[in-house]
Amino acid sequence: MADFTPVTGLTKIPDLLVMVEEDADDTAKAVNSRDVQMVLEVVSRTNSLTAIRDELHDYLRMGVPLYVVVDPRKDKKSVTVHSDPSEGPDGTRYRKTVPYAFGDSVTAGRWTLATSSLKGYPADW
């Protein structure tokens, strides 16, 4: 998968990104974040929830309209969809945040994500 670098100068390698096929260039080492329609990140040992929260702000600055976080930790097991980025009295932020549980049918923009087969991390993780 290619990195994507926006006007902000930030570079990210998400767990999953969605973009229109016509906007993809198989020869490019990076994509323009303005072409990205959704990013999905999974909380793991290498990207703590703090990192995921930091990425929430980064992806917002990069112009990504949908940011989905899958948290498979034993005590969490959740999926959160952040959407509707816009300016407000408290600055620019995702204006809508919808939490889901594993097993729910998750709506993220025009996509529906089936989460019934998602697995949580082991208890000793």
Side-chain angles (χ1 to χ4, degrees):
M1 172 182 295
D3 296 354
F4 65 98
T5 306
V7 181
T8 62
L10 296 170
T11 299
K12 298 288 181 186
I13 303 173
D15 293 323
L16 174 112
L17 72 78
V18 176
M19 63 187 294
V20 176
E21 187 173 0
E22 290 79 31
D23 292 335
D25 177 353
D26 293 340
T27 63
K29 291 183 180 180
V31 300
N32 186 321
S33 66
R34 300 291 176 188
D35 295 333
V36 176
Q37 296 180 356
M38 178 175 64
V39 163
L40 182 142
E41 292 282 5
V42 178
V43 177
S44 70
R45 290 178 196 244
T46 59
N47 65 348
S48 68
L49 196 53
T50 301
I52 295 292
R53 286 188 189 127
D54 290 345
E55 288 178 350
L56 171 79
H57 300 292
D58 291 345
Y59 287 124
L60 177 67
R61 288 179 45 217
M62 295 168 84
V64 175
L66 284 167
Y67 176 59
V68 180
V69 178
V70 176
D71 189 348
R73 294 177 297 171
K74 180 180 172 265
D75 59 335
K76 302 295 182 196
K77 290 189 179 177
S78 64
V79 179
T80 306
V81 177
H82 302 275
S83 63
D84 299 331
S86 64
E87 185 69 35
D90 55 348
T92 302
R93 67 180 187 85
Y94 289 106
R95 298 287 161 191
K96 187 174 182 183
T97 298
V98 180
Y100 294 88
F102 275 35
D104 287 350
S105 183
V106 174
T107 301
R110 61 183 175 165
W111 299 280
T112 301
L113 310 172
T115 67
S116 58
S117 63
L118 291 179
K119 305 289 184 207
Y121 289 136
D124 62 346
W125 182 76

